[in-house]
Amino acid sequence: MSEKSSSSGSDEDVDPESGQPVEFGGVLSKWTNYIHGWQDRWVVLKNNTLSYYKSEDEREYGCRGSLCLSKAVLTPHEFDECRFDVSVNDSVWYLRAEDPEHRLQWIESIELHKAESGYGSETSLRRHGSMLSLTSAASALSSTSTSSFKGHRLREKLAEMETFRDILCRQVDTLQKYFDSCADAVSKDEFQRDRIEEDEDEFPSTTRSDGEHNHNNNGSKEKLSSPASPKVINGIDFKGEAITFKATTAGILSTLSHCIELMVKREDSWQKRLDKELEKRRRVEDAYKSAMNELKKKSHYGGPDYEEGPNSLINEDEFFDAVEAALDRQDKIEEQCQSEKVRTHHLAQVPSSDVFSTIGTHRFVSKSRSHSSSLSSAELFSASDDVHRFSAQVEEMVQNHMTYSLQDVGGDANWQLVIEEGEMKVYRREVEENGIVLDPLKATHAVKGVTGHEVCHYFWDTDFRMDWETTIENFNVVEKLSENAIIVYQTHKRVWPASQRDVLYLSAIRKIVATNENDPDTWLVCNFSVEHDNALPTNKCVRAKINVAMICQTLVSPPEGDKEISRDNILCKITYVANVNPGGWAPASVLRAVAKREYPKFLKRFTSYVQDKTIGKPILF
């Protein structure tokens, strides 16, 4: 994967006019889903938005998704140095850069865009100002109104305080008027004194007797006017107002004391109510967080953190449940496909000339297994004609299977009988190496109406592979070594959360002629892993190693009288052995449970397929 960027991701890359970061784009690997895994996408960072396109050339068709970075959470991966996650609420993008340097560049660019967006940035403060809302202040003040207090007596006391406040305001106004009147009287008295002093200066012979008296023109005495009495001025009783003012303030203080006493008495109950409300809120918040975590877990369950790997977040039980659910879905799909095939088969007319085909010469036997076609088949699949660069390995594998695989394991304590259904028995021997399950498996089965040659033919021939093998996604023949040996590469269907597996193996079919005339001949197909330059391992699949053999012998019961041998007279004894190294990090218990479930199903499905394919056809020994 190559990383391309249309601009630098440093902090200096901002528009000098607007102060905003410039556009940033490049190729990143994005986790799509557990089926397709990581896919290269063209990702663009612009205007506080992270968008992605299928490729740079398809930008004109519109983006395939986008995230607003205002509330985005950026998380560099703990173990993968090239990966980082961008999440907004329940939406998570799993992204991988080409190398740690590019990852750092992307992280810095995203953080820069986040810093220059929303109300938390410096530019937004300059843009919107920092004036406090008077409306908010007023609403905060109104929250302390009398309606927030509880209790009948407390409301009464507060009403009394309102009344005292009105009285006190009126008394303050009255006192203010009194003080204004006093000030006016003092001013008038000073003015009159000034005039008397001026008159005495002009008429010094005028004397005052019997107190301060003025002589008018008629010779009568007139007493000088004195200042207004401080007790009553303009009808205001200052002493009475002062007494009332004192009583009002005393009433306010008394009412406040009662309010404080009531509040103190109710403080405990209020505190208890507050504690209960806080506890309710805490429980609700915990329930909300738990629900959100479950929701995120379910929504991101198919993410890369939960797939098979050394740092997987999924535990062993969840791994097994997910694998079992995926296998159940595949079984339902397969049942639907088989039902459709059966319906199509009944509608289609089978041509009478449909014959059984084999590799090379086509020989059929109708009377006995001593027919010359058996000899021709033996010659066709003999080891002497099977010469190629892997011939020695094939011969070694065949000899090992003929020596060890046909041995009876019923009394061996190392082998455990795990499945027994009718004629089919499945044995397993538990073996682990470096934490990887390498359990050898052996199954025996007896199938009526088919021969060993027919069973091995359908097992080996790739023309029929997709008819009975339901676990394969695709396969191809990498190289044909000879008429009865090929190298096959196949990928198996993904069973999430397990990683997808692929296999590269040599497949050879062989007939082993019995040395004792009383023993049946043996047909054998062996598949074992090899290496090839045209099918090297990739990081998208875990390469599994296999050593599998299908070993078949045909038993014939003599027909009655002069009747020809029919399929009712033949029985195929099958021994199937498998040694598989799955690789990867799948839990051992899961691998053993899947093997116990899938191997018997495979053997029954395959043998039933061979029986259906050979019905009404000549017997091939």
Side-chain angles (χ1 to χ4, degrees):
M1 181 186 67
S2 62
E3 179 78 20
K4 299 179 291 182
S5 296
S6 58
S7 63
S8 173
S10 62
D11 292 344
E12 291 78 11
D13 287 333
V14 295
D15 192 334
E17 296 182 0
S18 64
Q20 295 294 324
V22 298
E23 179 179 344
F24 184 83
V27 176
L28 291 175
S29 290
K30 183 178 182 297
W31 177 265
T32 54
N33 51 54
Y34 64 84
I35 296 177
H36 299 97
W38 296 97
Q39 299 290 333
D40 288 350
R41 294 291 182 260
W42 181 261
V43 182
V44 175
L45 181 59
K46 182 180 181 181
N47 296 333
N48 190 37
T49 301
L50 191 66
S51 308
Y52 80 92
Y53 306 81
K54 187 174 182 180
S55 64
E56 184 179 9
D57 298 333
E58 296 189 8
R59 292 188 61 179
E60 60 183 10
Y61 300 113
C63 69
R64 296 198 166 196
S66 62
L67 289 177
C68 180
L69 298 177
S70 299
K71 297 183 178 180
V73 178
L74 194 62
T75 308
H77 197 263
E78 182 179 0
F79 306 106
D80 192 341
E81 295 182 349
C82 298
R83 176 183 152 189
F84 62 96
D85 304 340
V86 183
S87 60
V88 178
N89 297 328
D90 297 337
S91 179
V92 182
W93 286 9
Y94 306 101
L95 303 172
R96 292 188 82 254
E98 182 182 18
D99 49 48
E101 289 75 16
H102 282 95
R103 184 185 78 164
L104 179 61
Q105 189 179 19
W106 273 98
I107 291 175
E108 290 177 348
S109 298
I110 293 175
E111 292 290 356
L112 177 62
H113 276 255
K114 282 185 60 181
E116 293 300 326
S117 65
Y119 278 87
S121 64
E122 181 182 354
T123 56
S124 65
L125 290 177
R126 291 197 303 266
R127 189 183 312 116
H128 301 289
S130 59
M131 181 184 297
L132 291 176
S133 172
L134 293 178
T135 304
S136 300
S139 63
L141 183 62
S142 65
S143 65
T144 61
S145 65
T146 59
S147 61
S148 63
F149 295 95
K150 303 293 183 181
H152 178 68
R153 289 186 55 81
L154 186 60
R155 285 198 297 269
E156 288 180 352
K157 292 299 179 183
L158 291 173
E160 289 179 9
M161 289 181 63
E162 293 286 340
T163 303
F164 281 127
R165 186 195 65 175
D166 295 338
I167 296 173
L168 189 62
C169 289
R170 290 196 298 269
Q171 290 175 345
V172 169
D173 293 338
T174 302
L175 290 174
Q176 185 64 46
K177 291 178 181 179
Y178 171 77
F179 293 140
D180 292 340
S181 299
C182 289
D184 292 340
V186 171
S187 298
K188 290 179 180 179
D189 186 53
E190 290 179 354
F191 177 73
Q192 191 171 3
R193 284 179 181 176
D194 292 341
R195 289 188 61 181
I196 292 172
E197 290 176 359
E198 291 177 358
D199 292 341
E200 288 178 350
D201 293 338
E202 292 179 2
F203 307 99
S205 61
T206 304
T207 61
R208 293 176 181 171
S209 62
D210 300 329
E212 291 184 354
H213 293 84
N214 287 336
H215 295 270
N216 55 19
N217 296 333
N218 297 326
S220 61
K221 295 180 180 180
E222 184 179 337
K223 190 175 181 178
L224 292 173
S225 60
S226 60
S229 174
K231 184 175 181 180
V232 178
I233 298 178
N234 294 335
I236 298 175
D237 185 0
F238 175 74
K239 186 176 181 179
E241 291 293 337
I243 295 172
T244 306
F245 184 81
K246 182 178 180 180
T248 303
T249 54
I252 290 177
L253 293 175
S254 176
T255 305
L256 285 174
S257 299
H258 282 89
C259 290
I260 292 173
E261 290 176 3
L262 291 173
M263 291 179 181
V264 169
K265 290 179 180 178
R266 296 193 178 186
E267 182 180 7
D268 293 339
S269 62
W270 287 347
Q271 186 64 42
K272 291 179 181 178
R273 291 183 184 180
L274 178 61
D275 292 340
K276 288 182 180 179
E277 293 298 326
L278 291 175
E279 180 64 21
K280 288 181 181 178
R281 179 173 180 176
R282 186 190 62 78
R283 289 198 297 265
V284 171
E285 288 178 348
D286 291 343
Y288 173 77
K289 290 179 181 179
S290 177
M292 290 300 298
N293 290 335
E294 289 295 326
L295 181 62
K296 288 181 179 180
K297 184 176 180 180
K298 290 180 180 179
S299 62
H300 307 145
Y301 204 57
D305 291 323
Y306 292 92
E307 67 174 347
E308 175 189 350
N311 303 307
S312 176
L313 299 181
I314 193 170
N315 60 44
E316 191 166 321
D317 292 337
E318 292 173 333
F319 196 104
F320 175 77
D321 292 340
V323 168
E324 190 174 39
L327 292 175
D328 289 341
R329 288 193 297 269
Q330 289 187 7
D331 289 344
K332 289 182 180 180
I333 295 174
E334 181 60 25
E335 289 177 3
Q336 294 175 356
C337 294
Q338 290 298 328
S339 299
E340 187 66 27
K341 287 180 181 180
V342 171
R343 189 160 46 249
T344 305
H345 176 73
H346 287 308
L347 294 176
Q349 183 178 0
V350 180
S352 58
S353 60
D354 187 18
V355 295
F356 190 97
S357 61
T358 63
I359 301 175
T361 307
H362 300 259
R363 302 295 178 100
F364 302 95
V365 177
S366 60
K367 291 187 179 182
S368 69
R369 51 191 305 272
S370 61
H371 196 276
S372 60
S373 62
S374 297
L375 298 175
S376 299
S377 297
E379 293 174 358
L380 174 63
F381 292 99
S382 64
S384 59
D385 296 332
D386 190 20
V387 179
H388 46 78
R389 65 180 184 278
F390 292 101
S391 298
Q393 287 181 257
V394 172
E395 188 63 27
E396 181 181 359
M397 289 292 179
V398 169
Q399 294 301 325
N400 288 338
H401 286 304
M402 292 299 297
T403 303
Y404 302 108
S405 299
L406 292 178
Q407 292 179 355
D408 186 16
V409 296
D412 193 338
N414 294 324
W415 289 89
Q416 303 174 9
L417 178 63
V418 293
I419 294 290
E420 184 174 7
E421 296 181 8
E423 296 291 336
M424 182 176 60
K425 295 180 180 180
V426 180
Y427 300 87
R428 181 180 65 201
R429 182 161 55 89
E430 293 190 357
V431 176
E432 287 190 28
E433 183 177 324
N434 297 327
I436 300 178
V437 175
L438 305 175
D439 296 353
L441 183 138
K442 178 181 289 189
T444 60
H445 196 20
V447 183
K448 293 183 179 180
V450 295
T451 66
H453 188 180
E454 292 170 339
V455 171
C456 288
H457 167 72
Y458 282 107
F459 185 73
W460 181 80
D461 196 339
T462 56
D463 291 340
F464 306 99
R465 182 67 52 84
M466 300 302 292
D467 292 344
W468 56 267
E469 179 59 276
T470 61
T471 65
I472 293 178
E473 185 175 273
N474 55 66
F475 78 96
N476 65 284
V477 177
V478 177
E479 182 179 356
K480 182 178 180 180
L481 300 173
S482 65
E483 290 297 323
N484 57 350
I486 56 176
I487 295 178
V488 179
Y489 171 77
Q490 65 188 31
T491 57
H492 291 263
K493 294 177 182 177
R494 173 79 181 274
V495 181
W496 192 88
S499 301
Q500 189 173 23
R501 260 71 178 179
D502 63 357
V503 187
L504 179 67
Y505 61 94
L506 186 151
S507 182
I509 185 172
R510 182 74 61 82
K511 178 179 181 180
I512 310 298
V513 180
T515 56
N516 189 340
E517 61 180 8
N518 294 324
D519 295 334
D521 295 339
T522 302
W523 282 90
L524 179 146
V525 175
C526 62
N527 299 335
F528 59 93
S529 294
V530 293
E531 295 181 357
H532 199 284
D533 293 338
N534 293 337
L536 298 175
T538 65
N539 56 1
K540 293 185 177 181
C541 294
V542 176
R543 178 63 58 89
K545 303 293 184 180
I546 65 169
N547 183 6
V548 176
M550 178 75 74
I551 307 170
C552 303
Q553 293 177 331
T554 305
L555 303 180
V556 181
S557 60
E560 296 180 358
D562 295 334
K563 293 182 179 180
E564 296 182 352
I565 295 177
S566 67
R567 293 195 175 273
D568 294 334
N569 302 119
I570 58 177
L571 177 71
C572 181
K573 292 182 63 177
I574 299 175
T575 300
Y576 178 79
V577 293
N579 292 271
V580 179
N581 181 351
W585 299 271
S589 61
V590 176
L591 291 175
R592 291 191 172 106
V594 171
K596 182 178 178 180
R597 163 183 167 146
E598 294 300 313
Y599 276 114
K601 287 171 56 179
F602 148 72
L603 203 54
K604 288 190 292 185
R605 182 175 63 247
F606 172 68
T607 53
S608 297
Y609 170 79
V610 177
Q611 287 177 319
D612 293 340
K613 292 292 289 185
T614 55
I615 291 178
K617 295 182 180 179
I619 302 173
L620 180 68
F621 286 99

